């Protein structure tokens, strides 16, 4: 198959692209920054999609994977407008010209805003989402008006190059720094390998229609268990202090709908793969 991947220089996109290429697929990538992927089946187009669509030959892609976005929180309204609204609008214009089978959009759990349910399913009410979450939700709707779009509402995605709570924990454990943990049930994570797996399964079964899936690893653990598991994997000596969980995330993510088409890795398997890949990356950098 031929995939068009926007935002191809991001760490998630690079992970997915390398998996696609290893599978024998052809990939066209669009981004402002060079992803530094060298492969005979990969072509990079340098372009800022927030300014305009990129002109490609009609029918040159079977699937669009839309990953280009402003993913960091606490940015200005203007930055979100350009990166998550205008950019996605321009992708929708490209989709109208290219007529692929579907677009797979990496959305966010932030679309739900203030989650007041204990279990977050796709049917819960959307309550007071932050500007970032609003723009991701609008992006879903923009694409759905043009082409069948499957939105992957993701939590933190771990892989080499990721950022967030687990990445911060990893680096502190590596340095044997002290850690303070607000212990609570936790499943707000998925490995980038499963993002590829979901995309591959969508294409395999031909699930090409407007829909949205919550994405997370299988199983439920606690933030304390995650830290202690990674501490053991890294042979770290970091002292760990437990705090009252009142400031921790109070809801779990339900991936029950996703399980009908794809089963992600268990949380521990996801963390084990993440730690392994991080250590391999660091080893290669030191060679």
């Amino acid at each position: 198959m031929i995939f068009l991947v926007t935002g191809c220089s991001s760490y998630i996109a690079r992970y997915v692209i390398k998996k696609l290429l290893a599978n024998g697929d052809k990939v066209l990538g669009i981004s402002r920054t060079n992803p530094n992927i060298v492969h005979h089946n990969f072509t990079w187009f340098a372009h800022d999609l927030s300014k305009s669509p990129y002109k490609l030959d009609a029918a040159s892609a079977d699937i669009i994977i839309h990953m280009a976005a402003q993913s960091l929180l606490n940015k200005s309204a203007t930055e979100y407008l350009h990166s998550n609204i205008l950019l996605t609008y321009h992708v929708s214009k490209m989709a109208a010209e290219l007529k692929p089978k579907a677009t797979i959009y990496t959305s966010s759990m932030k679309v739900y805003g203030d989650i007041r349910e204990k279990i977050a399913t796709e049917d819960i009410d959307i309550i007071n989402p932050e500007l970032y979450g609003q723009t991701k939700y609008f992006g879903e709707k923009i694409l759905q008006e043009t082409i069948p779009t499957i939105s992957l509402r993701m939590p933190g995605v771990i892989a080499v190059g990721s950022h967030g709570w687990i990445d911060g924990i990893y680096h502190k454990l590596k340095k044997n720094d002290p850690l303070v943990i607000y212990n609570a049930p936790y499943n707000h994570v998925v490995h980038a390998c499963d993002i590829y797996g979901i995309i591959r399964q969508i294409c395999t079964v031909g699930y090409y229609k407007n829909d949205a899936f919550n994405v997370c690893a299988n199983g439920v653990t606690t933030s304390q268990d995650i830290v202690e598991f990674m501490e053991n994997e890294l042979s770290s000596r970091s002292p760990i202090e437990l705090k009252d969980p009142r400031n921790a995330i109070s809801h779990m993510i339900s991936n029950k709908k996703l399980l009908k088409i794809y089963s992600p890795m268990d949380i521990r398997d996801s963390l084990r793969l993440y730690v392994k890949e991080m250590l391999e990356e660091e080893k290669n950098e030191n060679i």
Side-chain angles (χ1 to χ4, degrees), residues 73-201:
L73 302 181
N74 302 316
K75 294 294 183 178
S76 69
T78 299
E79 287 176 290
Y80 286 131
L81 171 65
H82 283 275
S83 295
N84 293 352
I85 301 295
L86 287 177
L87 190 153
T88 301
Y89 174 72
H90 292 150
V91 172
S92 74
K93 291 299 183 184
M94 292 178 63
E97 292 289 330
L98 298 175
K99 294 180 172 57
K101 297 173 182 176
T103 292
I104 300 172
Y105 178 44
T106 52
S107 187
S108 169
M109 287 295 297
K110 293 292 184 180
V111 301
Y112 297 114
D114 182 10
I115 297 176
R116 299 176 183 176
E117 307 291 337
K118 290 296 183 182
I119 305 294
T121 69
E122 291 82 357
D123 298 323
I124 62 172
D125 293 334
I126 294 176
I127 303 172
N128 300 322
E130 300 169 331
L131 186 57
Y132 168 71
Q134 292 179 45
T135 58
K136 295 299 283 187
Y137 185 72
F138 290 153
E140 293 182 10
K141 297 304 179 184
I142 289 170
L143 291 169
Q144 288 173 2
E145 289 182 353
T146 304
I147 188 173
T149 298
I150 302 95
S151 298
L152 306 181
R153 294 174 177 170
M154 306 190 303
V157 180
I158 52 174
V160 173
S162 61
H163 50 79
W165 180 69
I166 287 180
D167 186 66
I169 293 295
Y170 172 88
H171 288 291
K172 286 187 176 181
L173 289 172
K174 280 282 290 181
K175 294 186 291 185
N176 298 309
D177 287 347
L179 289 168
V180 176
I181 303 170
Y182 295 90
N183 191 36
Y186 190 89
N187 72 341
H188 294 240
V189 65
V190 68
H191 193 283
C193 182
D194 278 322
I195 304 304
Y196 165 76
I198 295 168
I199 292 169
R200 172 58 60 200
Q201 184 64 6

Side-chain angles (χ1 to χ4, degrees), residues 1-7 16 20 27-28 30 49 54 56 60-68 87-88 90-106 143 146-152 199 202-203 208:
M1 297 185 72
I2 302 175
F3 292 85
L4 171 62
V5 181
T6 70
V16 170
L20 292 170
V27 181
L28 310 175
I30 300 178
L49 284 169
Y54 188 84
L56 290 169
S60 59
D62 298 307
I63 298 290
I64 294 176
I65 305 175
H66 179 31
M67 292 188 172
L87 190 153
T88 301
H90 292 150
V91 172
S92 74
K93 291 299 183 184
M94 292 178 63
E97 292 289 330
L98 298 175
K99 294 180 172 57
K101 297 173 182 176
T103 292
I104 300 172
Y105 178 44
T106 52
L143 291 169
T146 304
I147 188 173
T149 298
I150 302 95
S151 298
L152 306 181
I199 292 169
I202 286 171
C203 297
Y208 303 140

Side-chain angles (χ1 to χ4, degrees), residues 7-79:
C8 65
S9 60
S10 71
Y11 76 95
I12 304 175
R14 282 171 50 81
Y15 198 103
V16 170
I17 289 169
K18 289 177 180 180
K19 290 285 188 180
L20 292 170
L21 293 172
N23 189 65
D25 297 300
K26 182 177 180 180
V27 181
L28 310 175
I30 300 178
S31 63
R32 292 175 298 178
T33 305
N34 192 335
N36 295 313
I37 297 173
V38 179
H39 193 282
H40 65 279
N41 271 342
F42 178 73
T43 304
W44 173 56
F45 302 102
H47 183 71
D48 185 348
L49 284 169
S50 69
K51 295 182 178 179
S52 65
Y54 188 84
K55 184 67 176 177
L56 290 169
D57 294 335
S60 59
D62 298 307
I63 298 290
I64 294 176
I65 305 175
H66 179 31
M67 292 188 172
Q70 175 56 262
S71 59
L72 299 178
L73 302 181
N74 302 316
K75 294 294 183 178
S76 69
T78 299
E79 287 176 290

